[in-house]
Amino acid sequence: PGLVNMHGHLEDCYYAATGAMPQKQSAYYAALAFGTTTNFDPYASEVPSYTASEMRNAGNLVGPRTISVGSVLFGRPGKYDPVYEPINSLADAEKVMQRKKALGGHLVKSYRQPMRSQRQQIIKAARDAGIMVAVEGESHFYNNISAVLDGHNTVEHNLPVATYYNDILQLFTHSRTASTPTLVVTFGELLGENYIYQHHRNWEDPRIDQFVPYMNSVYSPIGQRYAAPLFARNITSVHVADELWDIGFRSV
């Protein structure tokens, strides 16, 4: 038995920049050291993430077994990584599904498609192709609700409201949509990641010391250089009165 991480960015989304794929990757060893034997990555690279999955299945790469969306279907141009996927018709969405199936994909990620009709076209094309669809929560409550109504398989991240009333609970109960709350990234409040850094000296854990060579988080409230030593993440985090975590991290 092992842990299943249902929202873990282990697949390096920057493979595409170099075309290189190291056979030994520290993130995979770190995940295994903490007991994660299966990982779902809802934001990865296109071809390399599927290649890495095949390498693990063939025994040529050490790491958790992988479920990956490959490149996300991002609905707005101008992002720093090439993930813009304009969906202006059902035919556009169908072409995406053909490509994903050819690469061996089973699941896609809908991310910031501007109109609900575009997200529905993705759902329709995916169902016809036998592919599941996750959607980025985007810290937008009404988008989340429409995503459940339209039949997405998962809503990634928590709904960014303080209280979930019975109508929301019943909607989730009777839908087939799962919610992945991602406790380290909590929408609508301080990130749970900062709670961990406030309360734990993570860099002293022997598994982290052995398998995590440097810091690569970009979510620190105070900026720091890429590849800084691990303790820098703790000292650049937000520290708040402990009871404030009750209405954010702990409530989620």
Side-chain angles (χ1 to χ4, degrees), residues 1 3 12 14 60 71-73 108 113 127 136-137 140 156 175 203 215 224 235-236 238:
L3 300 174
D12 190 340
Y14 307 104
N60 296 323
S71 180
V72 298
L73 312 183
V108 299
Q113 292 294 331
R127 283 182 175 174
E136 174 73 9
H140 195 296
E156 298 302 313
S175 74
W203 68 91
M215 184 185 63
Q224 75 292 112
I235 65 176
T236 58
V238 167

Side-chain angles (χ1 to χ4, degrees), residues 64-76:
R65 62 181 64 85
T66 299
I67 308 163
S68 174
V69 302
S71 180
V72 298
L73 312 183
F74 203 82
R76 302 174 190 178

Side-chain angles (χ1 to χ4, degrees), residues 1-3 5 10 25-39 62-65 202 205-212:
L3 300 174
N5 186 350
L10 293 186
Q25 299 185 42
S26 60
Y28 299 157
Y29 284 91
L32 290 172
F34 283 94
T36 298
T37 55
T38 299
N39 185 79
V62 175
R65 62 181 64 85
N202 309 285
D205 189 296
R207 293 164 294 186
I208 291 178
D209 182 56
Q210 182 170 358
F211 295 118
V212 184

Side-chain angles (χ1 to χ4, degrees), residues 80-97:
Y80 59 87
D81 50 337
V83 292
Y84 177 44
E85 198 75 66
I87 305 295
N88 296 314
S89 66
L90 179 59
D92 288 343
E94 289 171 340
K95 289 178 182 177
V96 171
M97 302 310 156

Side-chain angles (χ1 to χ4, degrees), residues 6-223:
M6 285 305 297
H7 191 116
H9 296 302
L10 293 186
E11 301 301 321
D12 190 340
C13 17
Y14 307 104
Y15 284 145
T18 62
M21 183 184 296
Q23 281 189 288
K24 292 184 177 181
Q25 299 185 42
S26 60
Y28 299 157
Y29 284 91
L32 290 172
F34 283 94
T36 298
T37 55
T38 299
N39 185 79
F40 169 47
D41 195 328
Y43 196 128
S45 50
E46 188 69 316
V47 176
S49 64
Y50 297 121
T51 303
S53 179
E54 292 177 3
M55 289 174 68
R56 275 188 289 274
N57 291 341
N60 296 323
L61 186 68
V62 175
R65 62 181 64 85
T66 299
I67 308 163
S68 174
V69 302
S71 180
V72 298
L73 312 183
F74 203 82
R76 302 174 190 178
K79 201 168 186 297
Y80 59 87
D81 50 337
V83 292
Y84 177 44
E85 198 75 66
I87 305 295
N88 296 314
S89 66
L90 179 59
D92 288 343
E94 289 171 340
K95 289 178 182 177
V96 171
M97 302 310 156
Q98 291 172 3
R99 184 182 81 234
K100 293 289 186 179
K101 290 201 76 169
L103 291 170
H106 305 284
L107 197 150
V108 299
K109 171 78 170 289
S110 175
Y111 200 148
R112 292 194 180 180
Q113 292 294 331
M115 294 189 296
R116 186 176 180 185
S117 60
Q118 292 165 303
R119 298 193 292 272
Q120 291 171 337
Q121 288 163 355
I122 291 172
I123 289 283
K124 167 63 176 168
R127 283 182 175 174
D128 291 345
I131 290 177
M132 295 184 290
V133 183
V135 67
E136 174 73 9
E138 301 176 18
S139 193
H140 195 296
F141 176 72
Y142 294 108
N143 277 9
N144 295 161
I145 298 306
S146 68
V148 177
L149 293 172
D150 290 341
H152 289 80
N153 294 96
T154 76
V155 173
E156 298 302 313
H157 302 292
N158 63 298
L159 276 62
V161 292
T163 303
Y164 299 172
Y165 292 99
N166 191 54
D167 55 348
I168 300 302
L169 299 182
Q170 291 299 321
L171 177 63
F172 270 101
T173 298
H174 294 289
S175 74
R176 294 187 176 184
T177 300
S179 176
T180 309
T182 64
L183 298 180
V184 294
V185 177
T186 43
F187 286 162
E189 263 296 339
L190 292 170
L191 297 189
E193 187 178 19
N194 292 296
Y195 170 87
I196 296 169
Y197 293 129
Q198 179 171 327
H199 290 82
H200 301 280
R201 298 169 66 88
N202 309 285
W203 68 91
E204 294 179 348
D205 189 296
R207 293 164 294 186
I208 291 178
D209 182 56
Q210 182 170 358
F211 295 118
V212 184
Y214 51 76
M215 184 185 63
N216 63 359
S217 173
V218 297
Y219 292 115
S220 180
I222 302 175

